[in-house]
Amino acid sequence: MIPETVQTQVTILSQHTDRAWHASLPNGRAVIAFRANDEPTVQLSSGNVIAVELRVTDFSQAHILD
């Protein structure tokens, strides 16, 4: 069975909104890393490397893991 999500790491490039950041995958592809509204906010800076989860059907958005 094919998994619905995959976990990886991204490097933060810049802040987009208070809950979204421009980031890049290890292969250089740009994504939006985000936190849901019901999750606590996090403080991230350019250059931070964080764990994220991507849906296999959409690699343009990455959900930031705790």
Coordinates of all heavy atoms in Angstrom, one line a residue:
M1 N 0.8 -1.2 0.0 CA 0.0 0.0 0.0 C 0.9 1.2 0.0 O 1.9 1.3 0.7 CB -0.9 0.0 1.2 CG -1.9 1.1 1.3 SD -3.1 0.7 2.6 CE -4.3 1.9 2.2
I2 N 0.5 2.2 -0.8 CA 1.3 3.5 -0.9 C 0.9 4.4 0.3 O -0.2 4.6 0.6 CB 1.0 4.2 -2.2 CG1 1.4 3.3 -3.4 CG2 1.7 5.5 -2.3 CD1 1.0 3.8 -4.7
P3 N 2.0 4.9 1.0 CA 1.6 5.8 2.1 C 1.0 7.1 1.6 O 1.3 7.6 0.5 CB 3.0 6.1 2.7 CG 4.0 5.8 1.6 CD 3.4 4.8 0.8
E4 N 0.2 7.8 2.4 CA -0.4 9.0 2.1 C 0.5 10.2 2.3 O 0.4 11.3 1.7 CB -1.7 9.2 2.8 CG -2.8 8.2 2.4 CD -4.1 8.5 3.2 OE1 -4.3 9.6 3.7 OE2 -4.9 7.6 3.3
T5 N 1.4 10.1 3.2 CA 2.4 11.2 3.6 C 3.8 10.6 3.7 O 4.0 9.4 3.9 CB 2.0 11.9 4.9 OG1 2.0 10.9 6.0 CG2 0.6 12.5 4.8
V6 N 4.7 11.5 3.5 CA 6.1 11.2 3.8 C 6.7 12.3 4.7 O 6.3 13.5 4.6 CB 7.0 11.1 2.4 CG1 6.5 9.9 1.6 CG2 6.9 12.4 1.7
Q7 N 7.7 11.9 5.5 CA 8.3 12.9 6.3 C 9.7 13.2 5.8 O 10.4 12.3 5.3 CB 8.4 12.4 7.8 CG 7.1 12.2 8.4 CD 7.2 11.8 9.9 OE1 8.3 11.6 10.4 NE2 6.0 11.6 10.5
T8 N 10.1 14.4 5.9 CA 11.4 14.9 5.5 C 11.8 16.1 6.2 O 11.1 16.5 7.1 CB 11.5 15.1 3.9 OG1 12.8 15.3 3.5 CG2 10.6 16.3 3.5
Q9 N 12.9 16.8 5.8 CA 13.3 18.0 6.4 C 13.3 19.1 5.4 O 13.5 18.8 4.2 CB 14.6 17.9 7.1 CG 14.7 17.0 8.2 CD 16.0 17.0 8.9 OE1 17.0 17.2 8.3 NE2 16.0 16.7 10.2
V10 N 13.0 20.3 5.8 CA 13.1 21.5 4.9 C 14.0 22.5 5.6 O 14.2 22.5 6.8 CB 11.8 22.1 4.6 CG1 10.9 21.2 3.8 CG2 11.1 22.6 5.8
T11 N 14.6 23.4 4.8 CA 15.3 24.6 5.3 C 14.5 25.8 5.1 O 14.0 26.1 4.0 CB 16.7 24.7 4.5 OG1 17.4 23.5 4.6 CG2 17.5 25.9 5.0
I12 N 14.3 26.6 6.2 CA 13.5 27.8 6.1 C 14.2 28.8 5.3 O 15.4 29.1 5.6 CB 13.1 28.3 7.5 CG1 12.3 27.2 8.3 CG2 12.4 29.6 7.5 CD1 11.0 26.9 7.7
L13 N 13.5 29.5 4.4 CA 14.1 30.6 3.6 C 13.7 31.9 4.1 O 14.5 32.8 4.3 CB 13.8 30.4 2.1 CG 14.2 29.1 1.5 CD1 13.7 29.0 0.1 CD2 15.7 28.9 1.5
S14 N 12.4 32.1 4.3 CA 11.8 33.4 4.8 C 10.4 33.1 5.4 O 9.8 32.2 5.0 CB 11.8 34.4 3.7 OG 11.0 34.0 2.7
Q15 N 10.0 34.1 6.2 CA 8.6 34.0 6.7 C 7.6 34.6 5.7 O 7.9 35.6 5.1 CB 8.5 34.7 8.0 CG 7.2 34.5 8.7 CD 7.2 34.8 10.2 OE1 8.2 35.2 10.7 NE2 6.1 34.5 10.9
H16 N 6.5 33.9 5.5 CA 5.5 34.3 4.5 C 4.3 35.0 5.3 O 3.9 36.1 5.0 CB 5.0 33.1 3.8 CG 3.9 33.3 2.8 ND1 4.2 34.1 1.7 CD2 2.7 32.9 2.7 CE1 3.1 34.2 0.9 NE2 2.1 33.5 1.5
T17 N 3.8 34.3 6.3 CA 2.8 34.9 7.2 C 3.2 34.4 8.6 O 4.2 33.8 8.8 CB 1.4 34.4 6.9 OG1 1.3 33.0 7.2 CG2 1.0 34.7 5.5
D18 N 2.3 34.6 9.6 CA 2.6 34.2 11.0 C 2.6 32.7 11.2 O 3.1 32.2 12.2 CB 1.7 34.9 12.0 CG 0.3 34.6 11.9 OD1 -0.1 34.2 10.7 OD2 -0.5 34.7 12.9
R19 N 2.0 32.0 10.2 CA 1.9 30.5 10.3 C 2.5 29.8 9.1 O 2.3 28.6 8.9 CB 0.5 30.1 10.6 CG 0.0 30.5 11.9 CD -1.3 29.9 12.2 NE -1.7 30.1 13.6 CZ -1.3 29.3 14.6 NH1 -0.6 28.2 14.4 NH2 -1.7 29.5 15.8
A20 N 3.1 30.6 8.2 CA 3.7 29.9 7.0 C 5.0 30.5 6.6 O 5.3 31.7 6.9 CB 2.7 30.2 5.8
W21 N 5.9 29.7 6.1 CA 7.2 30.1 5.7 C 7.6 29.5 4.3 O 7.1 28.4 3.9 CB 8.2 29.5 6.7 CG 8.1 30.1 8.1 CD1 8.8 31.1 8.6 CD2 7.2 29.7 9.1 NE1 8.4 31.3 9.9 CE2 7.4 30.5 10.2 CE3 6.2 28.7 9.2 CZ2 6.7 30.4 11.4 CZ3 5.4 28.6 10.3 CH2 5.7 29.4 11.4
H22 N 8.4 30.3 3.6 CA 9.0 29.8 2.4 C 10.1 28.8 2.8 O 10.9 29.2 3.6 CB 9.5 30.9 1.5 CG 8.4 31.8 1.0 ND1 7.6 31.5 -0.1 CD2 8.1 33.0 1.4 CE1 6.8 32.5 -0.3 NE2 7.0 33.5 0.6
A23 N 10.2 27.7 2.2 CA 11.2 26.7 2.6 C 11.6 25.9 1.3 O 11.0 26.0 0.3 CB 10.6 25.7 3.6
S24 N 12.7 25.2 1.5 CA 13.2 24.3 0.4 C 13.4 22.9 0.8 O 13.9 22.7 2.0 CB 14.5 24.9 -0.3 OG 15.5 24.9 0.6
L25 N 13.1 22.0 0.0 CA 13.3 20.6 0.2 C 14.8 20.3 0.0 O 15.5 21.1 -0.6 CB 12.5 19.7 -0.7 CG 11.0 19.8 -0.5 CD1 10.2 19.1 -1.6 CD2 10.6 19.1 0.8
P26 N 15.3 19.1 0.5 CA 16.7 18.7 0.2 C 17.1 18.8 -1.2 O 18.2 19.0 -1.6 CB 16.8 17.3 0.8 CG 15.7 17.3 1.9 CD 14.6 18.1 1.3
N27 N 16.1 18.5 -2.2 CA 16.5 18.5 -3.6 C 16.4 19.9 -4.2 O 16.6 20.1 -5.4 CB 15.6 17.6 -4.4 CG 14.1 18.0 -4.4 OD1 13.7 19.1 -3.8 ND2 13.3 17.3 -5.0
G28 N 16.1 21.0 -3.3 CA 16.1 22.4 -3.8 C 14.7 22.9 -4.2 O 14.5 24.1 -4.4
R29 N 13.7 22.0 -4.3 CA 12.4 22.4 -4.7 C 11.8 23.3 -3.6 O 11.8 23.0 -2.4 CB 11.5 21.2 -4.9 CG 10.1 21.6 -5.3 CD 9.3 20.4 -5.7 NE 7.9 20.9 -5.9 CZ 7.2 20.4 -6.9 NH1 7.6 19.4 -7.6 NH2 6.0 20.9 -7.1
A30 N 11.1 24.4 -4.0 CA 10.5 25.3 -3.0 C 9.1 24.8 -2.6 O 8.4 24.3 -3.4 CB 10.4 26.7 -3.7
V31 N 8.8 25.0 -1.3 CA 7.5 24.6 -0.7 C 7.1 25.7 0.3 O 7.9 26.5 0.7 CB 7.6 23.3 0.0 CG1 7.9 22.1 -1.0 CG2 8.6 23.3 1.2
I32 N 5.9 25.7 0.7 CA 5.4 26.5 1.8 C 5.2 25.5 3.0 O 4.5 24.5 2.9 CB 4.0 27.1 1.4 CG1 4.1 28.0 0.3 CG2 3.4 27.8 2.7 CD1 4.8 29.3 0.5
A33 N 6.0 25.8 4.0 CA 5.9 25.1 5.3 C 4.9 25.8 6.2 O 5.0 27.1 6.3 CB 7.2 25.0 5.9
F34 N 3.9 25.1 6.8 CA 2.9 25.8 7.6 C 2.5 25.1 8.8 O 2.8 23.9 9.0 CB 1.6 25.9 6.7 CG 1.0 24.6 6.4 CD1 0.0 24.2 7.2 CD2 1.4 23.8 5.3 CE1 -0.6 22.9 7.0 CE2 0.8 22.6 5.1 CZ -0.2 22.2 5.9
R35 N 1.9 25.8 9.7 CA 1.3 25.3 10.9 C -0.2 25.5 10.8 O -0.6 26.6 10.4 CB 1.8 25.9 12.2 CG 3.3 25.7 12.5 CD 3.5 24.4 13.0 NE 3.1 24.3 14.4 CZ 3.3 23.3 15.2 NH1 4.1 22.3 14.8 NH2 2.9 23.3 16.4
A36 N -1.0 24.6 11.3 CA -2.5 24.8 11.2 C -2.9 25.8 12.3 O -2.2 26.0 13.3 CB -3.2 23.4 11.5
N37 N -4.1 26.4 12.1 CA -4.6 27.4 13.1 C -4.7 26.9 14.5 O -4.6 27.7 15.4 CB -5.9 28.0 12.6 CG -5.7 28.9 11.4 OD1 -4.6 29.5 11.2 ND2 -6.7 29.1 10.6
D38 N -5.1 25.6 14.7 CA -5.3 25.1 16.0 C -4.0 24.6 16.7 O -4.1 24.1 17.8 CB -6.3 24.0 16.0 CG -5.9 22.8 15.1 OD1 -5.0 23.0 14.3 OD2 -6.6 21.8 15.2
E39 N -2.9 24.8 16.0 CA -1.6 24.4 16.6 C -0.8 25.6 17.1 O -1.0 26.7 16.6 CB -0.7 23.7 15.5 CG -1.4 22.4 15.0 CD -0.5 21.8 13.9 OE1 0.0 22.6 13.0 OE2 -0.4 20.6 13.8
P40 N 0.0 25.4 18.1 CA 0.8 26.5 18.7 C 1.7 27.1 17.6 O 2.2 26.3 16.8 CB 1.6 25.9 19.8 CG 1.3 24.4 19.9 CD 0.3 24.1 18.8
T41 N 1.9 28.4 17.7 CA 2.9 29.0 16.8 C 4.3 28.6 17.1 O 4.6 28.2 18.2 CB 2.7 30.5 16.8 OG1 3.0 31.0 18.1 CG2 1.3 31.0 16.4
V42 N 5.2 28.7 16.2 CA 6.6 28.5 16.4 C 7.4 29.6 15.8 O 7.0 30.3 14.9 CB 7.1 27.2 15.7 CG1 6.4 26.0 16.3 CG2 6.7 27.2 14.2
Q43 N 8.6 29.9 16.4 CA 9.5 30.9 15.9 C 10.5 30.3 15.1 O 11.3 29.4 15.6 CB 10.1 31.6 17.1 CG 9.1 32.4 18.0 CD 8.4 33.5 17.2 OE1 9.0 34.2 16.4 NE2 7.1 33.6 17.5
L44 N 10.6 30.6 13.8 CA 11.6 30.1 12.9 C 12.3 31.2 12.2 O 11.7 32.2 11.9 CB 10.9 29.2 11.8 CG 10.2 27.9 12.4 CD1 9.4 27.3 11.3 CD2 11.1 27.0 13.0
S45 N 13.6 31.0 11.9 CA 14.4 31.9 11.2 C 15.0 31.3 10.0 O 15.1 30.1 9.8 CB 15.5 32.4 12.1 OG 15.0 33.0 13.3
S46 N 15.4 32.2 9.1 CA 16.1 31.7 7.8 C 17.2 30.8 8.2 O 18.0 31.1 9.1 CB 16.6 32.9 7.1 OG 17.2 32.5 5.9
G47 N 17.3 29.7 7.5 CA 18.4 28.7 7.8 C 18.0 27.6 8.7 O 18.7 26.6 8.8
N48 N 16.9 27.7 9.5 CA 16.5 26.6 10.4 C 16.1 25.4 9.5 O 15.5 25.5 8.5 CB 15.3 27.0 11.2 CG 15.6 28.0 12.3 OD1 14.7 28.9 12.6 ND2 16.7 27.9 13.0
V49 N 16.5 24.2 10.0 CA 16.1 23.0 9.3 C 15.1 22.3 10.3 O 15.4 22.1 11.5 CB 17.4 22.1 9.1 CG1 17.0 20.8 8.5 CG2 18.4 22.8 8.2
I50 N 14.0 22.0 9.7 CA 12.9 21.4 10.5 C 12.3 20.2 9.9 O 12.3 20.1 8.6 CB 11.8 22.5 10.8 CG1 11.2 23.0 9.5 CG2 12.3 23.6 11.7 CD1 10.0 23.8 9.6
A51 N 11.6 19.4 10.7 CA 10.9 18.2 10.2 C 9.5 18.6 9.7 O 8.8 19.4 10.3 CB 10.8 17.2 11.3
V52 N 9.1 18.0 8.5 CA 7.8 18.3 8.0 C 7.2 17.0 7.4 O 7.9 16.0 7.3 CB 7.9 19.4 6.8 CG1 8.3 20.7 7.3 CG2 8.8 18.9 5.7
E53 N 5.9 17.1 7.1 CA 5.2 16.0 6.5 C 4.6 16.5 5.2 O 4.0 17.6 5.2 CB 4.1 15.5 7.5 CG 3.4 14.3 7.1 CD 2.5 13.8 8.2 OE1 1.6 14.6 8.6 OE2 2.6 12.7 8.6
L54 N 4.8 15.8 4.1 CA 4.2 16.1 2.8 C 3.2 15.1 2.4 O 3.4 13.9 2.6 CB 5.3 16.2 1.8 CG 6.4 17.2 2.0 CD1 7.7 16.8 1.2 CD2 6.0 18.5 1.5
R55 N 2.1 15.5 1.8 CA 1.2 14.6 1.2 C 1.8 14.1 -0.2 O 2.4 15.0 -0.9 CB -0.2 15.2 0.9 CG -1.0 15.4 2.2 CD -2.3 16.0 1.9 NE -2.0 17.4 1.6 CZ -2.9 18.2 1.1 NH1 -4.0 17.8 0.7 NH2 -2.6 19.5 0.9
V56 N 1.7 12.8 -0.5 CA 2.4 12.4 -1.7 C 1.7 12.9 -2.9 O 2.3 12.9 -4.0 CB 2.4 10.8 -1.7 CG1 3.3 10.3 -0.6 CG2 1.1 10.2 -1.7
T57 N 0.5 13.4 -2.8 CA -0.2 14.0 -4.0 C 0.1 15.4 -4.2 O -0.4 16.0 -5.2 CB -1.7 13.8 -3.8 OG1 -2.2 14.4 -2.6 CG2 -2.1 12.3 -3.8
D58 N 0.7 16.1 -3.2 CA 1.0 17.5 -3.3 C 2.2 17.9 -2.5 O 2.2 18.1 -1.3 CB -0.2 18.3 -2.7 CG -0.1 19.8 -2.8 OD1 0.9 20.3 -3.5 OD2 -0.9 20.5 -2.3
F59 N 3.3 18.0 -3.2 CA 4.6 18.4 -2.6 C 4.9 19.9 -2.6 O 6.0 20.3 -2.3 CB 5.8 17.7 -3.4 CG 6.0 16.3 -2.9 CD1 5.1 15.5 -2.3 CD2 7.3 15.7 -3.2 CE1 5.4 14.2 -1.9 CE2 7.6 14.4 -2.8 CZ 6.6 13.7 -2.2
S60 N 3.8 20.7 -2.7 CA 4.0 22.1 -2.7 C 3.8 22.7 -1.3 O 4.1 23.8 -1.0 CB 3.0 22.8 -3.6 OG 1.7 22.7 -3.2
Q61 N 3.1 21.9 -0.4 CA 2.9 22.3 1.0 C 3.4 21.3 1.9 O 3.2 20.1 1.8 CB 1.4 22.5 1.2 CG 0.7 23.6 0.4 CD -0.7 23.7 0.7 OE1 -1.3 23.0 1.5 NE2 -1.4 24.6 0.0
A62 N 4.1 21.8 3.0 CA 4.6 20.9 4.0 C 4.1 21.3 5.4 O 4.2 22.4 5.8 CB 6.2 21.0 4.0
H63 N 3.5 20.3 6.1 CA 3.0 20.6 7.4 C 4.2 20.4 8.4 O 4.9 19.4 8.4 CB 1.9 19.6 7.7 CG 1.4 19.7 9.1 ND1 1.7 18.8 10.1 CD2 0.7 20.7 9.7 CE1 1.1 19.2 11.2 NE2 0.5 20.3 11.0
I64 N 4.4 21.4 9.2 CA 5.5 21.4 10.2 C 5.1 20.5 11.3 O 4.1 20.6 11.9 CB 5.8 22.8 10.7 CG1 6.3 23.7 9.6 CG2 6.8 22.8 11.8 CD1 6.4 25.2 9.9
L65 N 6.0 19.6 11.6 CA 5.8 18.6 12.7 C 6.3 19.2 14.0 O 7.2 20.1 14.0 CB 6.5 17.3 12.4 CG 6.0 16.6 11.2 CD1 6.8 15.4 10.9 CD2 4.5 16.2 11.3
D66 N 5.9 18.7 15.1 CA 6.3 19.2 16.5 C 7.7 18.7 16.7 O 8.2 17.8 16.3 CB 5.4 18.6 17.6 CG 4.0 19.3 17.5 OD1 4.0 20.4 17.1 OD2 3.1 18.6 17.8

